[in-house]
Amino acid sequence: MIEVIATLLRWLQLASNMILVGGCVFLAIAGTFHSPWVTRLERLLPWLCLILLIGLLGILATTTAQATGISENAWRPQVWLALLQNTRMGQIWIGRVICALIVTAIALYLRYSERARWKYVLCATAAALTLTVGSLASHSAAEELSVVSILPYALHIILASVWFGALPAFLVVCYACTEPASSNPGNPTGSQPSMRAGIQTEAIQRIHALFQSREEAVMADAQALKRFSAMALPVMLAVIATGVIITDRMVDTSYGALVATSYGWLLDAKIALLVIVLIIAARARSTWLPLLSQRADSNLAQAGGQRLRKWVSFEFVLALGIVLLATIVANTVPAKHALIQTWPYSFRFSIAATWGDQAVMMRVWSGVALLLLSGVIFTLGNLKKWDKKRRFGIPALLLALAAGVGLPPLAIDAYPETYRKTPVPFDTISIANGSALFAENCVACHGSQGKGDGVMAKSFAKPPVDMLTEPHTAKHTAGDFFHWLTFGIPDTGMPVFADKLSEEDRWDVVNYLHAMSRGYQARLMSPSVKPEQPQPSMGPPNFSYVAHDGSSGTLKDFRGQKNVLLVLFSWPQSRERMEQLQQLHTELGRANTVLLAVPEDDPDAQELAQIKAEVPFPVVTEGAHEIVKSYALFRRTLSKPDLLGPGTLPEHMEFLVDRFGYLRARWIADADGPGWSNPQSLMQQVAQLNREKEILPPPGDHVH
C-alpha cells in the first residue's frame, strides 16, 4: 500500500511542477495580459505550488517508511530529519523544497503585481530548476554525476513540461473562445414597458460593440493558441530526441527487455499513449485551430473551437496518464538491469545471428525500401490532398508488407532461458571447471578444441557446429547454450545434460565456451596496443590469487587504478626474461603498472625457493592452475593458429590489461618475435595505455 501512495504522491508533485512550468511559458508567449483567462491562470499558480509542497512532504514521509522498512516512520519527523541529514536523497529533497518555496514566492508576487512577460519567464525558470534538482534522484543518480549524465534527463522533463504543463492553459483559452457571448447588455430602465426608441437604438449599438469586442478577443486568443502550437512542434521533437537518448541508456543492448520486463511494458504503454497524443496534436494543428480563426463563418469557427476543446481535453487526460507512467518508470529497475528469467516467446530477432546470408540481406533491404516508400506515399498523399482511404490505406498496406518481408528473416528460435543472465561469473575458476567438464563430456563429438571434429562427429547426419573458428557464441546468447546443455537439441545427437551436470556446472561449460571463443578472437592481438581501441569482446577472465609475498586479491581490484602485466612463465625456461622483468619492475611501478607472475607448471619446493629468491614481484602460488588453464585459451596468433589436436601451451606468455579492465596487448615470444624483450617497446605500450581515458564502460562480470 505504501508503494501505491508513494507513486501517487510522486505523480501529484511532478504533474503540478510541470503545469507550473508549462503554464508560465504559455502566459509568456501568449502576448496578451488583459484577457479574463489570464486572471484564472494566475489564481491557479499558488494552488499548484501548494500541491507541489504537499507532494514533496508526502514523498519524504513515504520514502522514510520505505527506506527504514517501518511504515510507522512515515509519521515521525525525527526519522525524517535523520534521512535528510545522512542521505543523498535527503539532500536532493532539501534542494527541491527550497526551489519549490522560491516558485511559491514568485507565484504570489505574480498574483498581486502588474503583469509582465519577464515575470512569467522567471516563474517558469524557477519551476524548471525544481524539476532539474528532482532529476538528480531519477535513474541518472545511478551514473557518475556530471553535466553530460544529467543533461538529457533534465532537458527531457523540462521540455515535456513545456508541452504537458501548457495544456491546462490551452484548455482555459479554448473554453474562453467557445463560450457563447451574452446578447443582453443590461437594461438600465428595468422592465418598464415605456422604453423609448432612443434607448432601444443605444442598446443595439452596445450589442454590436459587444460582439465586435468579443470577436476581437477570440481572434487574439486564437493567435495565442497558434503561437503555442508553433512552439509545441520543435518542443515535442526535442522531447522525443532526449527520450531516445535516455531509453538508449536504460536499455543499452537489452532490447528483449522491452517486451518481457515491467520496465519495457511501462515504456511501451507510455510510447503508445504518446503516439495517440501526437495524432491528436497534429489534427488540432492542421484542422481545428485554423477553423477557430475563421472570421468569415462564425459557426464554423465555433464548431472548430468546440472540437479543439473536446480533443485537447482528451489529450490532457492521456498526458496525465503518460506522466503517471513516467513516474512509475522512474522507480522501476531499468531494462539493462532487469532479469528475464523466462522469455515468453518462441522466437527473437537477431541481426548478429542472421546477417551475412545473402537471402536474408536481400529481404531485409527490400523491407527497408518498402518502409521508405510508405513514408514517401504518405507525404505525397498529404501534399496532393488525397482522400483518407488512399492517404492512409496505401501507406498502411506498404508498412504491413515491409514488416512481412523484412522481419521474418531476422527471426531465430528462442527458449525460456534465452535472456537469462548467468549466475556464475566469468572467472578462471568457472572456466577451468568448464574446461574439465567439456573434456569429459563433449570432446567425443565437438573435438578437443570445439571445432566439431570429434571422433563421433562423422556419425551424425548434421555434424556438430564449429564453436571455435565460427562466431557461434556471438550469434547466440548464454541462455541459448544453457538451454541446449539442459534439454539437448532434437534430431542432432546433442544429448540432455540436466540429469548429469548440475546447473552451476552447465553455466561453467557456457563460460568455457565463451572463453574459448574470445581466445580465438585474440589471435588478432599483437604486442602493440591499438590506440584508443579497446575491444568489448576482450574482457579477460577475472581471477583470485594469493602470491608468495603474502599479497592477494583479484584482477578486478586493479580496475580504475593500475594497468596489469600478467606473465605466464615456465621455470627455468623463462629465467632470462624474469631477470629482465626484475630490472623493469621499479620502472613499471612508476608507470602505474602492476606485474603479476603465474607459473605455468607446478614448481617443486626447490624451484619455488629459487623463484622467490630471484623475483621481487608477486608470484602467484594459489589460483595459478585456474589462471593458466583459462589464459592458455588466448595463446593463438595469426602465424600459429594452433587448431589441430589438443593444442600446445607456449612456454612464456605476457598479457597487458589496461586500468579499465580490457585486454589490450599480448606477447608470445615463440610467435611474436623480439617484441617486449626490448624493454623500450614494452614501456611504450604502457605509456600509450596511461595516456588514454576511459572509452568503454568496464567489462561485465558475466557473459551474455
Side-chain angles (χ1 to χ4, degrees), residues 673-695:
W676 294 348
S677 61
N678 178 358
Q680 185 178 1
S681 175
L682 174 59
M683 296 310 298
Q684 285 175 349
Q685 311 314 313
V686 172
Q688 172 62 39
L689 295 183
N690 287 334
R691 285 193 295 269
E692 294 181 5
K693 295 182 179 180
E694 186 173 13
I695 299 170

Side-chain angles (χ1 to χ4, degrees), residues 52-110:
L52 172 60
L53 290 169
I54 292 173
L56 287 172
L57 187 63
I59 289 173
L60 176 61
T62 54
T63 302
T64 303
Q66 290 174 311
T68 59
I70 303 173
S71 57
E72 290 77 8
N73 284 341
W75 315 108
R76 294 174 179 168
Q78 66 272 22
V79 185
W80 298 358
L81 185 60
L83 185 74
L84 295 176
Q85 292 175 334
N86 301 316
T87 66
R88 180 167 172 259
M89 175 270 167
Q91 295 168 357
I92 293 173
W93 186 89
I94 292 173
R96 295 171 75 182
V97 169
I98 291 173
C99 292
L101 290 172
I102 293 173
V103 176
T104 303
I106 297 173
L108 291 172
Y109 173 66
L110 284 174

Side-chain angles (χ1 to χ4, degrees), residues 191-500:
S191 56
Q192 296 178 8
S194 57
M195 180 182 290
R196 298 181 179 180
I199 296 177
Q200 291 177 343
T201 302
E202 181 183 352
I204 293 172
Q205 291 174 346
R206 289 171 62 185
I207 290 173
H208 281 298
L210 175 65
F211 275 100
Q212 185 176 2
S213 175
R214 166 70 177 167
E215 183 180 351
E216 291 174 354
V218 168
M219 290 301 107
D221 292 344
Q223 289 303 313
L225 296 179
K226 282 187 173 182
R227 278 192 289 271
F228 171 75
S229 180
M231 182 195 68
L233 178 60
V235 166
M236 284 304 297
L237 291 175
V239 168
I240 293 170
T242 52
V244 169
I245 294 172
I246 293 170
T247 301
D248 179 65
R249 289 186 180 182
M250 294 298 101
V251 175
D252 198 12
T253 57
S254 302
Y255 302 113
L258 292 175
V259 289
T261 64
S262 297
Y263 184 95
W265 289 122
L266 288 168
L267 186 62
D268 295 340
K270 182 180 169 185
I271 292 172
L273 291 182
L274 181 61
V275 169
I276 298 173
V277 162
L278 291 175
I279 293 172
I280 294 173
R283 183 71 169 166
R285 178 186 173 90
S286 63
T287 305
W288 302 320
L289 195 54
L291 287 178
L292 185 62
S293 305
Q294 288 284 340
R295 284 179 174 269
D297 191 337
S298 59
N299 292 330
L300 193 61
Q302 186 73 7
Q306 289 176 348
R307 281 183 170 271
L308 187 66
R309 187 173 74 181
K310 172 186 173 182
W311 284 103
V312 173
S313 298
F314 184 53
E315 180 183 354
F316 180 60
V317 172
L318 293 178
L320 284 172
I322 292 174
V323 175
L324 177 59
L325 289 172
T327 304
I328 301 172
V329 165
N331 293 276
T332 303
V333 177
K336 64 181 178 180
H337 298 310
L339 297 177
I340 307 177
Q341 290 296 342
T342 302
W343 178 247
Y345 313 104
S346 61
F347 68 94
R348 66 185 177 95
F349 295 108
S350 174
I351 294 177
T354 56
W355 204 252
D357 185 311
Q358 290 296 327
V360 170
M361 295 169 64
M362 181 68 70
R363 286 191 59 181
V364 171
W365 285 121
S366 299
V368 171
L370 287 170
L371 179 65
L372 294 175
L373 181 60
S374 173
V376 171
I377 294 297
F378 181 74
T379 303
L380 182 64
N382 282 327
L383 292 175
K384 297 290 186 179
K385 305 216 179 277
W386 292 352
D387 59 83
K388 288 184 180 180
K389 288 184 178 180
R390 292 174 61 198
R391 192 176 359 146
F392 294 104
I394 296 176
L397 178 61
L398 289 172
L399 199 61
L401 285 173
V405 171
L407 290 179
L410 298 176
I412 60 173
D413 290 337
Y415 315 98
E417 301 85 0
T418 287
Y419 287 104
R420 189 174 298 177
K421 294 188 177 180
T422 56
V424 180
F426 184 66
D427 60 24
T428 56
I429 294 176
S430 174
I431 293 168
N433 185 48
S435 174
L437 293 169
F438 185 88
E440 180 183 348
N441 298 281
C442 310
V443 165
C445 299
H446 290 281
S448 56
Q449 297 198 57
K451 282 181 56 60
D453 56 357
V455 293
M456 295 181 61
K458 293 182 179 179
S459 65
F460 301 116
K462 183 179 180 181
V465 296
D466 184 345
M467 293 185 292
L468 179 67
T469 62
E470 296 295 329
H472 201 56
T473 55
K475 291 182 176 181
H476 297 281
T477 68
D480 286 343
F481 285 97
F482 181 80
H483 176 87
W484 294 327
L485 283 167
T486 302
F487 301 103
I489 304 177
D491 303 323
T492 64
M494 175 71 183
V496 173
F497 282 102
D499 55 350
K500 189 173 183 180

Side-chain angles (χ1 to χ4, degrees), residues 15 18-19 22-23 26 41 44 48 161 163-175 312 316 320:
M18 294 176 76
I19 294 173
F26 188 93
L41 288 178
L44 180 64
L48 289 170
S161 300
W163 159 70
F164 163 73
L167 289 180
F170 195 99
L171 277 173
V172 169
V173 179
C174 285
Y175 274 88
V312 173
F316 180 60
L320 284 172

